Amino acid sequence: MVADVLREPMFLLLIAAGCIYLLLGDVKDALMLLFFVMIVIALTVFEEHKSERVLEALRDLSSPRALVLRDGRQQRIAGREVVPGDLLLLTEGDRVAADAVLLSCNDMLADESLLTGESVPVRKQAGSASSMMREPGGDDQPFVYAGTVLVQGSGIGLVTATGKSSAIGQIGQSLQGTQSGESPLRIQTGRLVRHLAIIASTFCLLLVLIYGLSRGHWLDALLAGISLAMSALPEEFPVILSVFMALGAWRISRHQVLARRLDAVETLGATTVLCTDKTGTLTENRMVIRTLYSEGQILQVDDLSPLPEPWHELVEFGILASERAPFDPMERALHELGRRTLDGSEHLHEDWELVHEYSLSPDLLAMSHVWQGGRQQHHMVAAKGAPEAIIELCHLPDTEARAIEQVAAGMADQGLRVLGVARAKLEPHGPEPRWPAQQHDIEFSFVGLLGLHDPLRAGATEAIAQCHAAGIRVVMITGDHARTAQAIARELGLPCEQILTGSELNALPDEELRARLRHVQVFARIVPQQKLRLVEAFKANGEIVAMTGDGVNDAPALKAAHIGVAMGQRGTDVAREAAALVLLNDDFASLVASIRMGRRIYDNLRKAMSYTLAVHIPIVGIAMLPVLLGEPLLLLPAHIMFLELIIGPACSIFFEAEAEESNIMQRPPRSADERIFSGRLLANSLLQGVAALMIATTIYIWALSTGFAENTVRALVFVAMVSGNIALVISNRSLHSSWQGAWSRDNPALWWIVLGGSAALALALSVPMLRDLFHFSGSAPQIFGMGLLAAAGILLLSAAVKRLLPP
């Protein structure tokens, strides 16, 4: 990193200037300049330093403790010690240690959202040792995958892949081959610095040649060239960028956002497309029951109202069809609703005993529990499952079945996960119960339908609306079904007339995909590799892409995007390590605050750079003018360093602390290829600098014509330049409003600059030792009065420039 920094032309010139000072014996100036170079290098290296612990985080995530069967006995070992051929003993709540094929399983459901983005657990069935591994996702596969979680059931799996060969390890491989996006502003700033360094070097060379050829004093010519180099070389620009990004990261941290890559703070403000995963990012990744259907009636459930008596039976048998200590989000939602609405009633049966179970199967997507209740002689059976499976179990007439199917379809269109519930009674036959061989042999009665909703995060809808107002396209990318994605998008206020699915995306060539991206904002059934392709396609369209996510499946796209934004509380280590920003509180509204802060930083960056360019024009002009006129040099190294003491804090600390413009979130993002110095801003900055140079030149010519001594002329011109410097600070506080309006905004750093600069100038004019060091003479009140006139003139001319040529 240091080598890359030192290859920049600006740093090479600064180091060369410091070496020349050493050769001339001016050790103080040389050490000061070289020390400044080291500070800038340190800041740049710190800013660019990237933590690359993604593969380590992947290993941590995919290496839980594992229960294996070795040598005929069970052993619990570290997940990293599992090898192909091991037998994994899996049960509800386990995080799977390796990819495996299931040799046996019972009622097994797995949460594979880390790999697929699908919020609903998927059903598993037993296979054989010869089964070929397939991609994660979908029901009835005989495979489990490293890093996923079993939410229900148990089973035995034969390990087939570990480490890099596993599905989660392949995501790590794609992370290794993915290049992070580079900040457009860093590219622009590097180009600007190189151009200014070439111009500055040219002026320095011309000054040395003109001075040496015209006067014959080459040592003085070299001193004049070095003085000009100190004033003209653009060392402020990388410092400005480093300081703005570092302080910007501190500011957004107060909004619960952690910046892992400093230039991401600025780029976020330029974002044009925000790609966000649905599960766990826009939604809470937890199920809540929102709709009940029974006996032809629909009830909308909220979190406050009590549940009417006719609906108690539906919730009662839904709970009886679930595990007592559920891990599955849907079953947990049922238990939560029961605790809230049925507590203390006869519909909760803590004392009942589960005596038999019927599992889900590929042929019948329903499960049943048989209960023995207290003093009852009969057994109660509760079933739940897919609506069509429950209808089949109940042997309903066609008319009634079609009516229920229409209700279930309507719930699905609202983005709800729909479950049917049925009940039955089994009479005992003999002292030992003989259970029916299958669920079809039980005479079930239909009870109703449950509609479960994965709720949106609080504030997500409002945050998306603010993004729209700011001209940012929010794109939802999810592994869910297209109808579910469409319903969620409609609830969020996202345009969902066009939806692109993963299978459709695979069929599109790159050119056609980029064309479709201009009109589609909802993507469904997307796998991790496709998310990465979408991000790359958006980037190919010239968009500045931000991607939010929290799962392992999001990590490659997070790293490839210009700005990856990971969730801090629910997010995985992998996602956090791959991202540039981390939302510590998982609050989508914090992302909007970051966007606002990014825009403020960019605005203030433009102000600082406009000021920096403008303030160097009079310095360069006054450094060259005496040489062209055959007069003694005005600006010596001590004067340049004095000016730098004002320019440095002004261009970094002061402008960074400026408040945001009033319309900052009511304007579209800037163009991806917009230069930080647009034509109008560059012209405005140059004209302000020329105005300051004209006033300083006028004072210089007047002082010469009046016959003042050399040191008095130097004092008059230098004080005018310092006053003009402060005037340019005030003028550039706003790129659009007048300096009078900008003056009303509070910024304590302004008074440090004005009062500190004035006090230092007063000391330099009044203390004899400092007067000698700076080569000053003359009446201090007269000189200060001329400085005030110069400041007033520059303020008026700058206001006229902004009125005639707004930046």
Side-chain angles (χ1 to χ4, degrees):
M1 281 187 234
V2 172
D4 288 339
V5 172
L6 292 178
R7 278 196 290 267
E8 292 288 335
M10 186 273 298
F11 285 104
L12 292 174
L13 290 169
L14 283 176
I15 292 172
C19 293
I20 293 173
Y21 268 111
L22 285 176
L23 292 175
L24 294 173
D26 197 341
V27 178
K28 291 183 178 179
D29 284 339
L31 292 179
M32 186 181 300
L33 190 60
L34 292 175
F35 177 74
F36 186 65
V37 170
M38 298 305 297
I39 292 296
V40 174
I41 291 175
L43 284 173
T44 306
V45 171
F46 174 78
E47 175 194 353
E48 286 296 315
H49 183 61
K50 300 174 183 178
S51 175
E52 295 296 341
R53 298 193 299 268
V54 175
L55 293 179
E56 180 182 351
L58 278 168
R59 285 193 295 270
D60 290 342
L61 180 66
S62 57
S63 293
R65 304 289 292 177
L67 184 63
V68 299
L69 188 63
R70 288 180 176 175
D71 301 325
R73 61 188 182 89
Q74 296 182 10
Q75 302 179 41
R76 189 165 295 278
I77 62 176
R80 62 179 175 272
E81 297 177 8
V82 174
V83 296
D86 270 333
L87 289 177
L88 287 177
L89 305 181
L90 303 167
T91 188
E92 181 176 314
D94 284 351
R95 187 178 291 278
V96 182
D99 289 5
V101 58
L102 291 170
L103 303 181
S104 67
C105 69
N106 181 40
D107 293 342
M108 184 178 286
L109 293 176
D111 179 359
E112 297 180 350
S113 61
L114 288 177
L115 295 173
T116 66
E118 172 62 60
S119 60
V120 178
V122 293
R123 185 175 57 255
K124 298 295 180 181
Q125 65 177 7
S128 65
S130 60
S131 300
M132 298 296 294
M133 292 293 293
R134 290 183 293 191
E135 292 291 323
D139 290 324
D140 299 324
Q141 288 202 44
F143 311 109
V144 290
Y145 303 93
T148 62
V149 178
L150 299 187
V151 298
Q152 178 180 300
S154 60
I156 300 177
L158 175 65
V159 175
T160 59
T162 62
K164 294 180 180 180
S165 300
S166 65
I168 199 172
Q170 291 170 11
I171 292 178
Q173 292 295 303
S174 67
L175 278 172
Q176 282 185 312
T178 302
Q179 296 297 321
S180 299
E182 186 177 11
S183 165
L185 181 58
R186 182 149 299 282
I187 298 172
Q188 294 177 38
T189 304
R191 188 185 303 121
L192 175 65
V193 166
R194 285 190 291 272
H195 291 166
L196 291 178
I198 292 172
I199 295 172
S201 301
T202 303
F203 274 109
C204 291
L205 181 60
L206 287 174
L207 182 63
V208 171
L209 291 175
I210 294 172
Y211 196 107
L213 292 173
S214 63
R215 306 189 188 187
H217 301 293
W218 289 100
L219 184 58
D220 290 340
L222 190 57
L223 286 171
I226 292 174
S227 296
L228 179 59
M230 291 180 62
S231 63
L233 290 178
E235 75 274 9
E236 290 91 358
F237 289 103
V239 176
I240 291 171
L241 191 58
S242 297
V243 170
F244 269 58
M245 295 305 105
L247 291 181
W250 171 74
R251 290 186 186 279
I252 70 167
S253 70
R254 300 169 70 182
H255 295 281
Q256 296 296 304
V257 180
L258 173 66
R260 295 189 65 251
R261 209 175 70 217
L262 293 185
D263 55 11
V265 178
E266 169 271 327
T267 311
L268 186 59
T271 299
T272 58
V273 172
L274 174 55
C275 300
T276 174
D277 187 51
K278 177 187 76 68
T279 305
T281 304
L282 295 172
T283 67
E284 296 181 359
N285 199 19
R286 65 178 182 87
M287 291 292 180
V288 177
I289 296 177
R290 283 286 176 248
T291 303
L292 302 177
Y293 170 82
S294 182
E295 297 183 357
Q297 302 294 318
I298 293 179
L299 177 69
Q300 301 298 328
V301 180
D302 58 45
D303 296 332
L304 299 177
S305 303
L307 194 66
E309 177 64 32
W311 307 93
H312 287 189
E313 184 185 47
L314 175 57
V315 178
E316 173 188 5
F317 279 90
I319 294 173
L320 289 174
S322 304
E323 300 294 335
R324 280 194 181 275
F327 195 81
D328 175 60
M330 292 183 290
E331 294 188 349
R332 292 170 64 180
L334 270 166
H335 278 267
E336 183 178 342
L337 180 63
R339 283 192 298 269
R340 185 174 63 82
T341 61
L342 303 181
D343 189 32
S345 71
E346 61 182 7
H347 297 284
L348 291 181
H349 308 286
E350 298 293 340
D351 58 334
W352 284 17
E353 179 185 0
L354 179 64
V355 293
H356 193 65
E357 294 183 68
Y358 293 92
S359 303
L360 287 164
S361 69
D363 299 327
L364 184 66
L365 301 181
M367 59 181 295
S368 299
H369 286 174
V370 182
W371 296 88
Q372 174 66 55
R375 300 177 182 177
Q376 297 177 356
Q377 296 299 314
H378 58 270
H379 297 95
M380 295 300 301
V381 185
K384 68 175 173 61
E388 59 273 17
I390 296 299
I391 290 172
E392 181 181 345
L393 283 178
C394 295
H395 307 291
L396 296 175
D398 289 344
T399 303
E400 186 176 351
R402 283 196 297 270
I404 294 173
E405 288 173 350
Q406 289 179 356
V407 174
M411 288 184 181
D413 286 337
Q414 299 172 29
L416 300 178
R417 174 79 166 180
V418 185
L419 293 177
V421 178
R423 59 171 293 175
K425 182 185 296 185
L426 289 178
E427 298 292 343
H429 299 283
E432 293 293 330
R434 299 179 58 187
W435 310 115
Q438 56 183 351
Q439 296 179 80
H440 277 293
D441 298 333
I442 303 174
E443 295 184 5
F444 281 101
S445 300
F446 182 77
V447 178
L449 299 174
L450 301 166
L452 297 103
H453 176 55
D454 188 4
L456 300 180
R457 286 190 178 276
T461 303
E462 293 78 7
I464 288 177
Q466 291 183 50
C467 288
H468 288 321
I472 301 168
R473 288 182 63 205
V474 178
V475 174
M476 188 174 75
I477 302 176
T478 178
D480 279 343
H481 190 277
R483 293 177 75 169
T484 302
Q486 186 175 40
I488 295 296
R490 189 180 298 113
E491 189 175 354
L492 287 166
L494 288 173
C496 54
E497 292 77 15
Q498 298 186 49
I499 296 179
L500 193 65
T501 64
S503 57
E504 294 170 339
L505 187 149
N506 283 336
L508 292 176
D510 290 342
E511 290 293 334
E512 189 173 345
L513 174 61
R514 290 199 292 267
R516 291 287 302 277
L517 292 186
R518 297 185 176 93
H519 310 288
V520 179
Q521 288 185 238
V522 179
F523 297 84
R525 292 299 191 202
I526 301 297
V527 297
Q529 294 80 0
Q530 293 172 325
K531 290 184 179 182
L532 180 60
R533 187 185 174 201
L534 285 172
V535 170
E536 297 289 2
F538 276 119
K539 290 167 66 176
N541 277 349
E543 307 283 3
I544 301 296
V545 184
M547 166 75 184
T548 68
D550 56 3
V552 173
N553 60 299
D554 296 320
L558 287 174
K559 190 173 183 183
H562 292 103
I563 300 295
V565 185
M567 299 297 154
Q569 293 180 349
R570 295 178 180 266
T572 62
D573 289 340
V574 177
R576 287 192 288 268
E577 291 296 328
L581 298 177
V582 179
L583 299 183
L584 299 176
N585 59 359
D586 289 7
D587 189 351
F588 204 70
S590 296
L591 184 56
V592 178
S594 300
I595 292 172
R596 177 186 295 271
M597 187 62 66
R599 292 189 173 193
R600 166 186 163 177
I601 290 169
Y602 186 78
D603 279 357
N604 290 344
L605 200 56
R606 294 181 76 213
K607 297 173 188 177
M609 291 193 171
S610 174
Y611 157 77
T612 303
L613 181 60
V615 81
H616 279 80
I617 292 174
I619 298 175
V620 172
I622 294 301
M624 295 191 68
L625 188 58
V627 177
L628 299 176
L629 296 179
E631 296 291 336
L633 293 177
L634 284 177
L635 297 182
L636 302 174
H639 305 122
I640 303 298
M641 294 308 299
F642 188 102
L643 290 170
E644 288 294 333
L645 289 176
I646 297 177
I647 295 172
C651 66
S652 54
I653 306 300
F654 168 75
F655 281 107
E656 191 281 330
E658 275 292 279
E660 65 191 41
E661 302 284 349
S662 58
N663 66 338
I664 198 166
M665 291 296 283
Q666 280 76 47
R667 63 191 190 214
R670 65 182 184 276
S671 173
D673 57 357
E674 177 184 304
R675 293 175 300 174
I676 190 167
F677 265 118
S678 62
R680 297 180 71 89
L681 180 62
L682 180 61
N684 187 283
S685 180
L686 291 174
L687 286 176
Q688 287 190 65
V690 169
L693 176 58
M694 287 172 55
I695 290 179
T697 302
T698 301
I699 294 174
Y700 177 52
I701 300 299
W702 169 79
L704 287 178
S705 63
T706 306
F708 286 118
E710 175 188 332
N711 286 353
T712 304
V713 173
R714 181 178 290 112
L716 285 167
V717 175
F718 183 74
V719 170
M721 292 180 67
V722 172
S723 302
N725 193 334
I726 295 173
L728 287 173
V729 169
I730 297 170
S731 176
N732 282 278
R733 293 190 68 185
S734 174
L735 296 177
H736 305 287
S737 62
S738 64
W739 64 269
Q740 297 97 322
W743 185 266
S744 62
R745 294 207 300 265
D746 184 42
N747 189 338
L750 175 63
W751 297 109
W752 284 102
I753 292 173
V754 174
L755 298 179
S758 300
L761 201 56
L763 291 174
L765 289 170
S766 57
V767 177
M769 183 182 69
L770 295 177
R771 285 168 65 96
D772 293 339
L773 177 63
F774 283 94
H775 303 281
F776 288 160
S777 66
S779 170
Q782 183 182 17
I783 295 172
F784 262 113
M786 189 60 67
L788 291 175
L789 288 176
I794 291 173
L795 285 174
L796 293 175
L797 288 176
S798 296
V801 168
K802 280 199 281 190
R803 183 178 294 274
L804 294 174
L805 188 66

